[in-house]
Amino acid sequence: MTLTNQDAATLDRADPLARFRDRFVMGAEPLAYLDGNSLGRLPKATAARLRDVIDHEWGGRLIRGWEEKWLDLPTVVGDRLGAVVLGAGAGQTVIADSTSVNLYKLIHAAIGLRPGRTEIVIDDTNFPTDRYLVESIAAARTRTVRRIRPAFVESVTAELLETALGPDTAVVVLSQVDYRSGTLLDLAAITAQVHAAGAVVVWDLCHSVGVVPIELDAAGVDFAVGCTYKYLNAGPGAPAFMYVAERHLADVTQPITGWWSAEDMFAMATEYAPATSIRKMLSGTANVLGIVAVDEGIKLIAEAGIAAIRAKSLALTDFQIALIDQCGPVSHESVVTPRNHVRRGGHVTVRTPKARDITARLMAHGIIPDFRNPDMIRLGLSPLTTSFGEVFAAYTAANALGLGDL
Ligand SMILES: *Cc1c(COP(=O)(O)O)cnc(C)c1O
């Protein structure tokens, strides 16, 4: 059965989340935006809220804004994110800094919980920032990096991880969804496996937060981090989040002990005493405009519901994969993202030697995918903003350009 534009229209009409597209800034161009997993679209409410905060809070209240509203934003919005998206009870999540900086803090904190152990485990398919940070932190703290080398699409399996875990393992750093292949890991099972070895885990949720249901408390996760400008639509450079399980809060220390992490930041004390709450993970002055944008992104997710978002994400990726298959056997084989729903995150990746050239030609025709070195095209389908019609439009354009048989 060949899929047509009619099928896309039928799917759009039946889509309970279709109305959310109106909540975002949508122009006539691009024709298809398939990069919402790198930078989400701009919610109209975010633009309005930022204008309001700029005019009235910053413009009007000036320094008084801190006491009146802003000082608690990292924890207030952190708690909202925890409740809506992370399955995290209050008091364990803050919004601050970037994913990279937060990884730095959390990996240090995690090492500190296992002082007698010498190894940090990370896989070669993990995102560069995670791997580079693990290397430099290991060097600084005289730990050894144990690199595991998963088969590309298979990602980290229980069997492979087991070969790396042992009495020396202090920390394991993993991404829940592989940023390239889109492979989804079983967060709860792997967390239990790491704990069985006596180690702690730091999860990078950048490619799962806001698109995949996450239950950090229920899974017993130790630490988690992720960005807010992808499926949370908080805008370029919006601050990231950090989760520290409540049971660890009393014991963790972190390396960027700025004044915002102090027990009483306005005491300006001579000696440093860390906060006892999750605020101990903060470092410096909060990015107010960024956190406000995160807050608006969370509101949209809360309104749509993460279960409905996941259902649409699977339907969109199924549709995308079926369209690629429809292009022929070569195209079928080029899809590297798992076809099994249980193992699939929110994007679809195609592997072809001509990926760079194809991406450039699609971009020139108003289709925005994402090129990943050296031979991958990522198609990021963001459930609140991507329509089935948009996915079909990209397929039509690709066919017209003769990209059918990749
Ligand atoms: C996007 C992404 C990051 C980005 O980190 P920044 O500090 O925001 O640049 C980190 N890790 C993963 C897995 C990502 O997908």
Side-chain angles (χ1 to χ4, degrees):
M1 191 193 74
T2 305
L3 291 167
T4 65
N5 203 19
Q6 285 310 312
D7 296 307
T10 305
L11 286 163
D12 278 327
R13 272 195 302 278
D15 171 17
L17 300 184
R19 64 195 166 88
F20 279 90
R21 272 168 69 82
D22 283 343
R23 311 282 290 278
F24 290 80
V25 173
M26 298 269 173
E29 133 4 272
L31 200 56
Y33 186 59
L34 305 181
D35 215 348
N37 61 331
S38 255
L39 179 65
R41 286 186 185 262
L42 167 63
K44 290 174 183 167
T46 304
R49 173 102 180 262
L50 285 173
R51 251 174 244 127
D52 182 64
V53 171
I54 289 169
D55 290 343
H56 299 108
E57 295 186 20
W58 176 10
R61 301 310 296 160
L62 292 167
I63 192 75
R64 293 164 292 186
W66 286 112
E67 287 290 348
E68 290 167 3
K69 274 205 172 145
W70 304 331
L71 280 175
D72 291 331
L73 278 178
T75 49
V76 168
V77 178
D79 283 347
R80 279 183 201 146
L81 183 76
V84 171
V85 185
L86 301 177
Q92 305 175 100
T93 312
V94 280
I95 314 290
D97 308 311
S98 64
T99 297
S100 299
V101 170
N102 291 342
L103 271 166
Y104 179 81
K105 296 196 228 184
L106 290 182
I107 296 167
H108 269 285
I111 288 173
L113 291 181
R114 292 293 179 271
R117 293 175 170 234
T118 55
E119 290 186 354
I120 309 174
V121 176
I122 189 161
D123 67 287
D124 276 356
T125 50
N126 212 328
F127 192 80
T129 216
D130 303 59
R131 292 182 282 107
Y132 303 162
L133 281 160
V134 162
E135 293 288 346
S136 68
I137 294 168
R141 299 197 58 173
T142 54
R143 299 302 197 276
T144 308
V145 181
R146 186 183 270 256
R147 289 165 56 176
I148 49 179
R149 298 184 166 78
F152 174 57
V153 172
E154 199 168 61
S155 196
V156 178
T157 61
E159 297 72 37
L160 182 63
L161 185 58
E162 204 55 36
T163 64
L165 295 174
D168 293 330
T169 314
V171 181
V172 179
V173 179
L174 294 168
S175 286
Q176 189 184 12
V177 170
D178 185 298
Y179 77 105
R180 291 181 304 182
S181 67
T183 305
L184 170 68
L185 299 186
D186 185 336
L187 179 130
I190 291 180
T191 298
Q193 188 183 3
V194 171
H195 288 170
V200 292
V201 63
V202 178
W203 280 104
D204 183 333
L205 308 178
C206 279
H207 266 95
S208 52
V209 66
V211 74
V212 171
I214 298 170
E215 294 291 342
L216 295 181
D217 286 352
V221 165
D222 304 288
F223 302 97
V225 63
C227 49
T228 61
Y229 49 80
K230 292 171 180 166
Y231 296 102
L232 294 176
N233 303 306
F241 65 87
M242 249 179 301
Y243 165 93
V244 178
E246 191 170 20
R247 64 183 181 283
H248 294 317
L249 271 182
D251 299 325
V252 293
T253 55
Q254 61 108 339
I256 312 180
T257 51
W259 68 307
W260 276 61
S261 71
E263 188 174 21
D264 179 356
M265 59 183 278
F266 291 110
M268 309 282 175
T270 310
E271 302 299 332
Y272 173 73
T276 51
S277 72
I278 186 70
R279 290 189 76 92
K280 78 195 296 185
M281 299 309 294
L282 298 176
S283 296
T285 301
N287 173 347
V288 170
L289 297 177
I291 300 178
V292 161
V294 175
D295 198 26
E296 292 302 321
I298 298 168
K299 281 187 201 163
L300 285 167
I301 304 264
E303 197 184 323
I306 201 77
I309 288 173
R310 173 65 171 164
K312 182 171 175 189
S313 167
L314 289 172
L316 278 170
T317 48
D318 277 344
F319 189 62
Q320 178 69 76
I321 291 171
L323 287 175
I324 298 168
D325 286 349
Q326 189 160 302
C327 294
V330 179
S331 308
H332 176 94
E333 279 154 31
S334 70
V335 176
V336 297
T337 303
R339 286 162 191 265
N340 179 352
H341 283 181
V342 176
R343 306 209 63 221
R344 191 194 305 161
H347 61 273
V348 173
T349 300
V350 169
R351 201 166 195 186
T352 157
K354 289 182 271 178
R356 190 187 295 271
D357 177 46
I358 290 171
T359 303
R361 290 172 66 190
L362 286 174
M363 301 259 307
H365 288 81
I367 312 290
I368 305 189
D370 197 26
F371 170 72
R372 276 293 167 265
N373 212 24
D375 60 357
M376 277 172 262
I377 303 173
R378 262 189 343 189
L379 304 164
L381 312 169
S382 193
L384 295 184
T385 62
T386 310
S387 67
F388 293 90
E390 208 174 354
V391 173
F392 198 86
Y395 163 79
T396 307
N399 267 344
L401 289 171
L403 306 179
D405 44 357
L406 294 171

